[in-house]
Amino acid sequence: MKANRAAALFGLILLSACAAKREVAPAAVAAPPPRPVVDAPPAPAPDDWRDAPITPGAWSYAAQASGSTASFGSANGTLLSLRCDPAAGRIVLIRAGAASGPVPLAIVTTSLTRAFSTLAPPAGTPAQLAVSFAPSDAFLNDVAFSRGRFAVEAPGQPTLYAPAAAEIGRVVEDCR
C-alpha cells in the first residue's frame, strides 16, 4: 500500500508540474506626483531697448472738432495717446499710469532721449501721465519717424515700446 501511496503522490507531483502556471501581475508602479508649476523667471531686459519686443497693441486715429488724437492700445484699453489741443496750441502725450504727483517721464527715440516732468492730471480723468509739447517742437518729428519704435519710460510703470506710426505724424501735422 505504501507503494500505491507513493505512486499516487508521485503522480500528483507530476500533474502539478504540468498545470499552467498562474502569472502574477506585476505590482502597479505609482506615477510620481506631478511637479509643481513654477513660473518661469521673467526674461532679462535686452541690452539695447531696440531689441525689446513691441508692446502689444495698434495705433488708431480720430479727428474731431476739438482736435485729432492718435491712440495706441488694445482691447484692454489705451496705453498711449497723442492729442492735438488746438485751443491751447499744444500737443499732449498721455501715457496710462498713476502717480501721486509729477514724475519724470522719458521718451526714447532712435536718435534722441528726452526727459520731461509730467503734468498734473485734470480732475475726474483716469490715471494718466501727460506731457505737453509746442506743435513746432522738432522732437515730435523724432517720435513720428523713429526707426520702427520708440520707448516711453516712467518710474514704477512697465516701459512701453510703441511702434512709430503714420497716425503720430498726422496728429502733429493737424496741430501745426
Side-chain angles (χ1 to χ4, degrees):
M1 219 60 186
K2 275 190 172 186
N4 284 344
R5 275 193 204 167
L9 184 58
F10 184 68
L12 286 175
I13 292 175
L14 283 176
L15 268 175
S16 68
C18 293
K21 287 188 177 182
R22 200 176 102 190
E23 297 213 13
V24 179
V29 178
R35 290 181 147 186
V37 176
V38 178
D39 289 338
D47 291 335
D48 188 336
W49 70 273
R50 291 170 289 200
D51 295 330
I54 289 181
T55 302
W59 282 100
S60 63
Y61 171 84
Q64 299 173 352
S66 60
S68 59
T69 303
S71 300
F72 178 75
S74 64
N76 296 332
T78 301
L79 300 172
L80 186 66
S81 64
L82 198 67
R83 182 176 53 83
C84 171
D85 182 354
R90 303 295 289 172
I91 293 178
V92 180
L93 182 136
I94 302 166
R95 183 206 195 287
S100 58
V103 296
L105 183 100
I107 302 174
V108 183
T109 68
T110 52
S111 59
L112 190 62
T113 297
R114 195 157 152 196
F116 301 90
S117 182
T118 59
L119 306 168
T125 60
Q128 62 185 26
L129 304 173
V131 295
S132 176
F133 301 89
S136 60
D137 191 329
F139 184 67
L140 292 167
N141 295 335
D142 291 334
V143 172
F145 301 112
S146 187
R147 290 186 204 128
R149 70 182 70 201
F150 63 97
V152 181
E153 303 170 340
Q157 305 291 326
T159 299
L160 295 179
Y161 299 100
E167 290 84 352
I168 298 167
R170 190 164 177 193
V171 169
V172 172
E173 288 304 313
D174 289 348
C175 229
R176 286 184 175 163

mmCIF file of all heavy atoms in Angstrom, residues 80 82 90-95 99 101-109 112-120 129-143 150-155:
data_model
loop_
_atom_site.group_PDB
_atom_site.id
_atom_site.type_symbol
_atom_site.label_atom_id
_atom_site.label_comp_id
_atom_site.label_asym_id
_atom_site.label_seq_id
_atom_site.Cartn_x
_atom_site.Cartn_y
_atom_site.Cartn_z
ATOM 1 N N LEU A 80 -1.285 104.644 -24.692
ATOM 2 C CA LEU A 80 -0.554 105.846 -25.066
ATOM 3 C C LEU A 80 -1.388 106.605 -26.086
ATOM 4 O O LEU A 80 -2.005 106.001 -26.953
ATOM 5 C CB LEU A 80 0.780 105.423 -25.678
ATOM 6 C CG LEU A 80 1.807 106.476 -26.031
ATOM 7 C CD1 LEU A 80 2.326 107.177 -24.781
ATOM 8 C CD2 LEU A 80 2.982 105.823 -26.771
ATOM 9 N N LEU A 82 -1.572 110.577 -28.354
ATOM 10 C CA LEU A 82 -1.010 111.877 -28.723
ATOM 11 C C LEU A 82 -2.198 112.689 -29.206
ATOM 12 O O LEU A 82 -2.881 112.290 -30.144
ATOM 13 C CB LEU A 82 0.020 111.682 -29.835
ATOM 14 C CG LEU A 82 1.003 112.813 -30.073
ATOM 15 C CD1 LEU A 82 1.936 112.968 -28.892
ATOM 16 C CD2 LEU A 82 1.818 112.544 -31.317
ATOM 17 N N ARG A 90 -1.290 123.246 -28.189
ATOM 18 C CA ARG A 90 -0.359 122.266 -27.635
ATOM 19 C C ARG A 90 -0.673 120.865 -28.166
ATOM 20 O O ARG A 90 -1.788 120.580 -28.587
ATOM 21 C CB ARG A 90 -0.448 122.210 -26.103
ATOM 22 C CG ARG A 90 -0.218 123.509 -25.373
ATOM 23 C CD ARG A 90 1.152 124.074 -25.500
ATOM 24 N NE ARG A 90 2.139 123.303 -24.753
ATOM 25 C CZ ARG A 90 3.428 123.512 -24.827
ATOM 26 N NH1 ARG A 90 3.917 124.464 -25.585
ATOM 27 N NH2 ARG A 90 4.263 122.786 -24.144
ATOM 28 N N ILE A 91 0.335 120.018 -28.124
ATOM 29 C CA ILE A 91 0.165 118.591 -28.363
ATOM 30 C C ILE A 91 0.474 117.910 -27.037
ATOM 31 O O ILE A 91 1.493 118.190 -26.404
ATOM 32 C CB ILE A 91 1.099 118.082 -29.471
ATOM 33 C CG1 ILE A 91 0.692 118.705 -30.813
ATOM 34 C CG2 ILE A 91 1.070 116.556 -29.544
ATOM 35 C CD1 ILE A 91 1.567 118.321 -31.972
ATOM 36 N N VAL A 92 -0.429 117.036 -26.610
ATOM 37 C CA VAL A 92 -0.281 116.377 -25.320
ATOM 38 C C VAL A 92 -0.073 114.882 -25.552
ATOM 39 O O VAL A 92 -0.868 114.240 -26.245
ATOM 40 C CB VAL A 92 -1.527 116.620 -24.433
ATOM 41 C CG1 VAL A 92 -1.361 115.932 -23.085
ATOM 42 C CG2 VAL A 92 -1.781 118.102 -24.249
ATOM 43 N N LEU A 93 1.007 114.352 -24.985
ATOM 44 C CA LEU A 93 1.249 112.923 -24.997
ATOM 45 C C LEU A 93 0.769 112.391 -23.653
ATOM 46 O O LEU A 93 1.177 112.899 -22.604
ATOM 47 C CB LEU A 93 2.734 112.614 -25.189
ATOM 48 C CG LEU A 93 3.071 111.128 -25.263
ATOM 49 C CD1 LEU A 93 4.051 110.870 -26.400
ATOM 50 C CD2 LEU A 93 3.633 110.611 -23.961
ATOM 51 N N ILE A 94 -0.115 111.396 -23.693
ATOM 52 C CA ILE A 94 -0.693 110.835 -22.470
ATOM 53 C C ILE A 94 -0.362 109.354 -22.412
ATOM 54 O O ILE A 94 -0.611 108.619 -23.357
ATOM 55 C CB ILE A 94 -2.228 111.035 -22.446
ATOM 56 C CG1 ILE A 94 -2.567 112.518 -22.549
ATOM 57 C CG2 ILE A 94 -2.828 110.417 -21.184
ATOM 58 C CD1 ILE A 94 -4.022 112.801 -22.861
ATOM 59 N N ARG A 95 0.205 108.950 -21.284
ATOM 60 C CA ARG A 95 0.550 107.549 -21.056
ATOM 61 C C ARG A 95 -0.293 107.033 -19.901
ATOM 62 O O ARG A 95 -0.440 107.705 -18.888
ATOM 63 C CB ARG A 95 2.030 107.460 -20.682
ATOM 64 C CG ARG A 95 2.521 106.046 -20.481
ATOM 65 C CD ARG A 95 3.715 106.043 -19.523
ATOM 66 N NE ARG A 95 4.449 104.818 -19.534
ATOM 67 C CZ ARG A 95 4.029 103.667 -18.999
ATOM 68 N NH1 ARG A 95 2.853 103.586 -18.446
ATOM 69 N NH2 ARG A 95 4.786 102.593 -19.042
ATOM 70 N N ALA A 99 0.385 108.227 -10.704
ATOM 71 C CA ALA A 99 1.441 108.785 -9.862
ATOM 72 C C ALA A 99 0.783 109.761 -8.901
ATOM 73 O O ALA A 99 -0.254 110.353 -9.207
ATOM 74 C CB ALA A 99 2.490 109.488 -10.707
ATOM 75 N N GLY A 101 1.996 112.528 -7.962
ATOM 76 C CA GLY A 101 2.349 113.891 -8.345
ATOM 77 C C GLY A 101 3.172 113.844 -9.614
ATOM 78 O O GLY A 101 3.299 112.797 -10.241
ATOM 79 N N PRO A 102 3.744 114.982 -10.006
ATOM 80 C CA PRO A 102 4.584 114.969 -11.207
ATOM 81 C C PRO A 102 5.750 113.991 -11.044
ATOM 82 O O PRO A 102 6.370 113.917 -9.993
ATOM 83 C CB PRO A 102 5.078 116.410 -11.314
ATOM 84 C CG PRO A 102 4.056 117.213 -10.573
ATOM 85 C CD PRO A 102 3.585 116.325 -9.457
ATOM 86 N N VAL A 103 5.999 113.219 -12.084
ATOM 87 C CA VAL A 103 7.104 112.267 -12.088
ATOM 88 C C VAL A 103 7.892 112.455 -13.377
ATOM 89 O O VAL A 103 7.374 113.009 -14.347
ATOM 90 C CB VAL A 103 6.619 110.800 -11.985
ATOM 91 C CG1 VAL A 103 5.916 110.536 -10.675
ATOM 92 C CG2 VAL A 103 5.738 110.433 -13.154
ATOM 93 N N PRO A 104 9.135 111.989 -13.399
ATOM 94 C CA PRO A 104 9.886 112.078 -14.657
ATOM 95 C C PRO A 104 9.344 111.069 -15.669
ATOM 96 O O PRO A 104 8.975 109.960 -15.317
ATOM 97 C CB PRO A 104 11.317 111.744 -14.243
ATOM 98 C CG PRO A 104 11.198 111.017 -12.948
ATOM 99 C CD PRO A 104 9.929 111.462 -12.303
ATOM 100 N N LEU A 105 9.274 111.484 -16.897
ATOM 101 C CA LEU A 105 8.846 110.624 -17.997
ATOM 102 C C LEU A 105 9.890 110.785 -19.085
ATOM 103 O O LEU A 105 10.229 111.912 -19.450
ATOM 104 C CB LEU A 105 7.463 111.053 -18.509
ATOM 105 C CG LEU A 105 6.889 110.174 -19.599
ATOM 106 C CD1 LEU A 105 5.880 109.206 -18.975
ATOM 107 C CD2 LEU A 105 6.172 111.009 -20.624
ATOM 108 N N ALA A 106 10.427 109.677 -19.568
ATOM 109 C CA ALA A 106 11.450 109.742 -20.615
ATOM 110 C C ALA A 106 10.877 109.159 -21.895
ATOM 111 O O ALA A 106 10.217 108.125 -21.878
ATOM 112 C CB ALA A 106 12.694 108.979 -20.202
ATOM 113 N N ILE A 107 11.134 109.830 -22.994
ATOM 114 C CA ILE A 107 10.770 109.333 -24.315
ATOM 115 C C ILE A 107 12.074 109.103 -25.055
ATOM 116 O O ILE A 107 12.904 110.008 -25.174
ATOM 117 C CB ILE A 107 9.857 110.326 -25.067
ATOM 118 C CG1 ILE A 107 8.589 110.579 -24.247
ATOM 119 C CG2 ILE A 107 9.517 109.783 -26.450
ATOM 120 C CD1 ILE A 107 7.680 111.651 -24.818
ATOM 121 N N VAL A 108 12.235 107.850 -25.519
ATOM 122 C CA VAL A 108 13.475 107.445 -26.160
ATOM 123 C C VAL A 108 13.190 107.125 -27.624
ATOM 124 O O VAL A 108 12.336 106.298 -27.921
ATOM 125 C CB VAL A 108 14.069 106.194 -25.464
ATOM 126 C CG1 VAL A 108 15.398 105.812 -26.080
ATOM 127 C CG2 VAL A 108 14.198 106.412 -23.969
ATOM 128 N N THR A 109 13.879 107.798 -28.526
ATOM 129 C CA THR A 109 13.772 107.505 -29.955
ATOM 130 C C THR A 109 15.134 106.998 -30.415
ATOM 131 O O THR A 109 16.095 107.000 -29.646
ATOM 132 C CB THR A 109 13.379 108.758 -30.768
ATOM 133 O OG1 THR A 109 14.461 109.683 -30.746
ATOM 134 C CG2 THR A 109 12.120 109.415 -30.215
ATOM 135 N N LEU A 112 17.358 110.242 -30.169
ATOM 136 C CA LEU A 112 17.403 111.158 -29.029
ATOM 137 C C LEU A 112 16.598 110.608 -27.856
ATOM 138 O O LEU A 112 15.598 109.924 -28.051
ATOM 139 C CB LEU A 112 16.802 112.497 -29.480
ATOM 140 C CG LEU A 112 16.905 113.710 -28.590
ATOM 141 C CD1 LEU A 112 18.359 114.096 -28.341
ATOM 142 C CD2 LEU A 112 16.196 114.898 -29.243
ATOM 143 N N THR A 113 17.028 110.940 -26.649
ATOM 144 C CA THR A 113 16.260 110.654 -25.441
ATOM 145 C C THR A 113 15.962 111.987 -24.787
ATOM 146 O O THR A 113 16.854 112.837 -24.658
ATOM 147 C CB THR A 113 17.054 109.770 -24.456
ATOM 148 O OG1 THR A 113 17.314 108.520 -25.083
ATOM 149 C CG2 THR A 113 16.287 109.551 -23.166
ATOM 150 N N ARG A 114 14.716 112.164 -24.390
ATOM 151 C CA ARG A 114 14.343 113.431 -23.766
ATOM 152 C C ARG A 114 13.526 113.147 -22.519
ATOM 153 O O ARG A 114 12.635 112.304 -22.536
ATOM 154 C CB ARG A 114 13.551 114.272 -24.757
ATOM 155 C CG ARG A 114 13.430 115.707 -24.345
ATOM 156 C CD ARG A 114 13.151 116.580 -25.551
ATOM 157 N NE ARG A 114 12.405 117.760 -25.174
ATOM 158 C CZ ARG A 114 11.766 118.525 -26.007
ATOM 159 N NH1 ARG A 114 11.769 118.260 -27.302
ATOM 160 N NH2 ARG A 114 11.128 119.591 -25.588
ATOM 161 N N ALA A 115 13.840 113.851 -21.430
ATOM 162 C CA ALA A 115 13.143 113.673 -20.157
ATOM 163 C C ALA A 115 12.202 114.845 -19.924
ATOM 164 O O ALA A 115 12.505 115.986 -20.275
ATOM 165 C CB ALA A 115 14.147 113.572 -19.028
ATOM 166 N N PHE A 116 11.060 114.531 -19.338
ATOM 167 C CA PHE A 116 10.031 115.524 -19.051
ATOM 168 C C PHE A 116 9.550 115.319 -17.627
ATOM 169 O O PHE A 116 9.738 114.261 -17.040
ATOM 170 C CB PHE A 116 8.815 115.333 -19.973
ATOM 171 C CG PHE A 116 9.135 115.434 -21.437
ATOM 172 C CD1 PHE A 116 9.503 114.312 -22.153
ATOM 173 C CD2 PHE A 116 9.056 116.646 -22.090
ATOM 174 C CE1 PHE A 116 9.794 114.384 -23.498
ATOM 175 C CE2 PHE A 116 9.350 116.733 -23.440
ATOM 176 C CZ PHE A 116 9.721 115.607 -24.147
ATOM 177 N N SER A 117 8.872 116.314 -17.097
ATOM 178 C CA SER A 117 8.149 116.170 -15.842
ATOM 179 C C SER A 117 6.675 116.153 -16.213
ATOM 180 O O SER A 117 6.219 117.009 -16.979
ATOM 181 C CB SER A 117 8.457 117.335 -14.901
ATOM 182 O OG SER A 117 7.792 117.146 -13.678
ATOM 183 N N THR A 118 5.956 115.181 -15.709
ATOM 184 C CA THR A 118 4.554 115.044 -16.096
ATOM 185 C C THR A 118 3.709 116.167 -15.523
ATOM 186 O O THR A 118 4.033 116.766 -14.495
ATOM 187 C CB THR A 118 3.973 113.694 -15.638
ATOM 188 O OG1 THR A 118 4.089 113.586 -14.225
ATOM 189 C CG2 THR A 118 4.686 112.538 -16.309
ATOM 190 N N LEU A 119 2.602 116.425 -16.211
ATOM 191 C CA LEU A 119 1.637 117.432 -15.776
ATOM 192 C C LEU A 119 0.694 116.819 -14.749
ATOM 193 O O LEU A 119 0.495 115.603 -14.727
ATOM 194 C CB LEU A 119 0.807 117.910 -16.978
ATOM 195 C CG LEU A 119 1.588 118.411 -18.197
ATOM 196 C CD1 LEU A 119 0.654 118.569 -19.381
ATOM 197 C CD2 LEU A 119 2.273 119.728 -17.859
ATOM 198 N N ALA A 120 0.080 117.635 -13.936
ATOM 199 C CA ALA A 120 -0.950 117.135 -13.022
ATOM 200 C C ALA A 120 -2.160 116.741 -13.867
ATOM 201 O O ALA A 120 -2.573 117.496 -14.752
ATOM 202 C CB ALA A 120 -1.327 118.224 -12.021
ATOM 203 N N LEU A 129 -0.351 109.814 -17.124
ATOM 204 C CA LEU A 129 0.851 110.632 -17.046
ATOM 205 C C LEU A 129 0.908 111.403 -18.353
ATOM 206 O O LEU A 129 0.851 110.812 -19.433
ATOM 207 C CB LEU A 129 2.091 109.744 -16.885
ATOM 208 C CG LEU A 129 2.066 108.777 -15.697
ATOM 209 C CD1 LEU A 129 3.262 107.832 -15.756
ATOM 210 C CD2 LEU A 129 2.044 109.527 -14.390
ATOM 211 N N ALA A 130 0.993 112.713 -18.287
ATOM 212 C CA ALA A 130 0.929 113.522 -19.506
ATOM 213 C C ALA A 130 2.068 114.526 -19.564
ATOM 214 O O ALA A 130 2.523 115.042 -18.541
ATOM 215 C CB ALA A 130 -0.407 114.261 -19.567
ATOM 216 N N VAL A 131 2.520 114.779 -20.793
ATOM 217 C CA VAL A 131 3.492 115.835 -21.067
ATOM 218 C C VAL A 131 2.967 116.633 -22.254
ATOM 219 O O VAL A 131 2.216 116.124 -23.078
ATOM 220 C CB VAL A 131 4.910 115.289 -21.352
ATOM 221 C CG1 VAL A 131 5.485 114.617 -20.119
ATOM 222 C CG2 VAL A 131 4.925 114.336 -22.514
ATOM 223 N N SER A 132 3.388 117.877 -22.328
ATOM 224 C CA SER A 132 2.865 118.777 -23.347
ATOM 225 C C SER A 132 4.000 119.314 -24.219
ATOM 226 O O SER A 132 5.102 119.565 -23.727
ATOM 227 C CB SER A 132 2.142 119.933 -22.639
ATOM 228 O OG SER A 132 1.700 120.883 -23.543
ATOM 229 N N PHE A 133 3.708 119.485 -25.517
ATOM 230 C CA PHE A 133 4.678 119.994 -26.482
ATOM 231 C C PHE A 133 4.075 121.155 -27.261
ATOM 232 O O PHE A 133 2.864 121.180 -27.510
ATOM 233 C CB PHE A 133 5.006 118.921 -27.541
ATOM 234 C CG PHE A 133 5.563 117.649 -27.009
ATOM 235 C CD1 PHE A 133 4.722 116.621 -26.626
ATOM 236 C CD2 PHE A 133 6.926 117.458 -26.928
ATOM 237 C CE1 PHE A 133 5.228 115.421 -26.168
ATOM 238 C CE2 PHE A 133 7.445 116.266 -26.466
ATOM 239 C CZ PHE A 133 6.595 115.241 -26.081
ATOM 240 N N ALA A 134 4.926 122.064 -27.702
ATOM 241 C CA ALA A 134 4.503 123.038 -28.706
ATOM 242 C C ALA A 134 4.430 122.279 -30.026
ATOM 243 O O ALA A 134 5.271 121.406 -30.287
ATOM 244 C CB ALA A 134 5.518 124.177 -28.804
ATOM 245 N N PRO A 135 3.446 122.537 -30.882
ATOM 246 C CA PRO A 135 3.360 121.806 -32.154
ATOM 247 C C PRO A 135 4.623 121.919 -33.011
ATOM 248 O O PRO A 135 4.926 121.022 -33.793
ATOM 249 C CB PRO A 135 2.163 122.448 -32.861
ATOM 250 C CG PRO A 135 1.331 123.009 -31.752
ATOM 251 C CD PRO A 135 2.322 123.441 -30.697
ATOM 252 N N SER A 136 5.383 122.988 -32.834
ATOM 253 C CA SER A 136 6.594 123.178 -33.637
ATOM 254 C C SER A 136 7.815 122.449 -33.068
ATOM 255 O O SER A 136 8.880 122.468 -33.680
ATOM 256 C CB SER A 136 6.910 124.670 -33.743
ATOM 257 O OG SER A 136 7.110 125.197 -32.433
ATOM 258 N N ASP A 137 7.679 121.785 -31.913
ATOM 259 C CA ASP A 137 8.802 121.088 -31.285
ATOM 260 C C ASP A 137 9.321 119.992 -32.220
ATOM 261 O O ASP A 137 8.594 119.064 -32.583
ATOM 262 C CB ASP A 137 8.351 120.485 -29.956
ATOM 263 C CG ASP A 137 9.504 119.981 -29.102
ATOM 264 O OD1 ASP A 137 10.529 119.541 -29.667
ATOM 265 O OD2 ASP A 137 9.371 120.024 -27.866
ATOM 266 N N ALA A 138 10.580 120.094 -32.617
ATOM 267 C CA ALA A 138 11.182 119.134 -33.557
ATOM 268 C C ALA A 138 11.263 117.727 -32.970
ATOM 269 O O ALA A 138 11.358 116.748 -33.717
ATOM 270 C CB ALA A 138 12.567 119.614 -33.980
ATOM 271 N N PHE A 139 11.198 117.599 -31.646
ATOM 272 C CA PHE A 139 11.241 116.270 -31.033
ATOM 273 C C PHE A 139 10.053 115.416 -31.479
ATOM 274 O O PHE A 139 10.155 114.194 -31.571
ATOM 275 C CB PHE A 139 11.282 116.380 -29.509
ATOM 276 C CG PHE A 139 11.411 115.056 -28.818
ATOM 277 C CD1 PHE A 139 12.574 114.300 -28.938
ATOM 278 C CD2 PHE A 139 10.375 114.538 -28.059
ATOM 279 C CE1 PHE A 139 12.699 113.067 -28.323
ATOM 280 C CE2 PHE A 139 10.489 113.317 -27.436
ATOM 281 C CZ PHE A 139 11.660 112.576 -27.560
ATOM 282 N N LEU A 140 8.941 116.052 -31.796
ATOM 283 C CA LEU A 140 7.781 115.306 -32.283
ATOM 284 C C LEU A 140 8.100 114.587 -33.595
ATOM 285 O O LEU A 140 7.593 113.487 -33.847
ATOM 286 C CB LEU A 140 6.574 116.237 -32.445
ATOM 287 C CG LEU A 140 6.011 116.781 -31.128
ATOM 288 C CD1 LEU A 140 5.045 117.921 -31.396
ATOM 289 C CD2 LEU A 140 5.351 115.677 -30.335
ATOM 290 N N ASN A 141 8.943 115.191 -34.421
ATOM 291 C CA ASN A 141 9.382 114.523 -35.647
ATOM 292 C C ASN A 141 10.221 113.293 -35.311
ATOM 293 O O ASN A 141 10.121 112.263 -35.979
ATOM 294 C CB ASN A 141 10.178 115.472 -36.537
ATOM 295 C CG ASN A 141 9.343 116.614 -37.058
ATOM 296 O OD1 ASN A 141 8.129 116.503 -37.160
ATOM 297 N ND2 ASN A 141 9.989 117.723 -37.368
ATOM 298 N N ASP A 142 11.064 113.402 -34.274
ATOM 299 C CA ASP A 142 11.872 112.257 -33.848
ATOM 300 C C ASP A 142 10.975 111.098 -33.418
ATOM 301 O O ASP A 142 11.263 109.941 -33.702
ATOM 302 C CB ASP A 142 12.797 112.637 -32.690
ATOM 303 C CG ASP A 142 13.903 113.583 -33.110
ATOM 304 O OD1 ASP A 142 14.280 113.575 -34.302
ATOM 305 O OD2 ASP A 142 14.392 114.322 -32.247
ATOM 306 N N VAL A 143 9.894 111.405 -32.726
ATOM 307 C CA VAL A 143 8.967 110.370 -32.278
ATOM 308 C C VAL A 143 8.260 109.755 -33.487
ATOM 309 O O VAL A 143 8.184 108.533 -33.631
ATOM 310 C CB VAL A 143 7.937 110.928 -31.269
ATOM 311 C CG1 VAL A 143 6.860 109.890 -30.950
ATOM 312 C CG2 VAL A 143 8.629 111.400 -29.992
ATOM 313 N N PHE A 150 9.628 103.586 -30.562
ATOM 314 C CA PHE A 150 10.152 104.494 -29.552
ATOM 315 C C PHE A 150 9.686 103.960 -28.203
ATOM 316 O O PHE A 150 8.778 103.126 -28.132
ATOM 317 C CB PHE A 150 9.715 105.952 -29.787
ATOM 318 C CG PHE A 150 8.234 106.186 -29.719
ATOM 319 C CD1 PHE A 150 7.631 106.648 -28.555
ATOM 320 C CD2 PHE A 150 7.429 105.958 -30.824
ATOM 321 C CE1 PHE A 150 6.265 106.869 -28.497
ATOM 322 C CE2 PHE A 150 6.060 106.178 -30.777
ATOM 323 C CZ PHE A 150 5.481 106.632 -29.612
ATOM 324 N N ALA A 151 10.328 104.398 -27.137
ATOM 325 C CA ALA A 151 10.013 103.908 -25.796
ATOM 326 C C ALA A 151 9.537 105.059 -24.928
ATOM 327 O O ALA A 151 9.999 106.197 -25.073
ATOM 328 C CB ALA A 151 11.235 103.254 -25.169
ATOM 329 N N VAL A 152 8.609 104.738 -24.037
ATOM 330 C CA VAL A 152 8.126 105.710 -23.056
ATOM 331 C C VAL A 152 8.329 105.078 -21.685
ATOM 332 O O VAL A 152 7.739 104.038 -21.381
ATOM 333 C CB VAL A 152 6.645 106.072 -23.289
ATOM 334 C CG1 VAL A 152 6.180 107.108 -22.280
ATOM 335 C CG2 VAL A 152 6.429 106.581 -24.718
ATOM 336 N N GLU A 153 9.183 105.707 -20.884
ATOM 337 C CA GLU A 153 9.567 105.166 -19.578
ATOM 338 C C GLU A 153 9.074 106.065 -18.459
ATOM 339 O O GLU A 153 9.227 107.289 -18.531
ATOM 340 C CB GLU A 153 11.089 105.046 -19.486
ATOM 341 C CG GLU A 153 11.705 104.197 -20.572
ATOM 342 C CD GLU A 153 13.227 104.291 -20.618
ATOM 343 O OE1 GLU A 153 13.803 105.277 -20.090
ATOM 344 O OE2 GLU A 153 13.843 103.384 -21.181
ATOM 345 N N ALA A 154 8.491 105.444 -17.431
ATOM 346 C CA ALA A 154 8.051 106.174 -16.243
ATOM 347 C C ALA A 154 8.350 105.312 -15.025
ATOM 348 O O ALA A 154 8.206 104.082 -15.087
ATOM 349 C CB ALA A 154 6.560 106.476 -16.330
ATOM 350 N N PRO A 155 8.772 105.910 -13.923
ATOM 351 C CA PRO A 155 9.101 105.118 -12.731
ATOM 352 C C PRO A 155 7.872 104.355 -12.221
ATOM 353 O O PRO A 155 6.769 104.879 -12.197
ATOM 354 C CB PRO A 155 9.567 106.154 -11.710
ATOM 355 C CG PRO A 155 9.251 107.483 -12.270
ATOM 356 C CD PRO A 155 8.928 107.330 -13.706
#
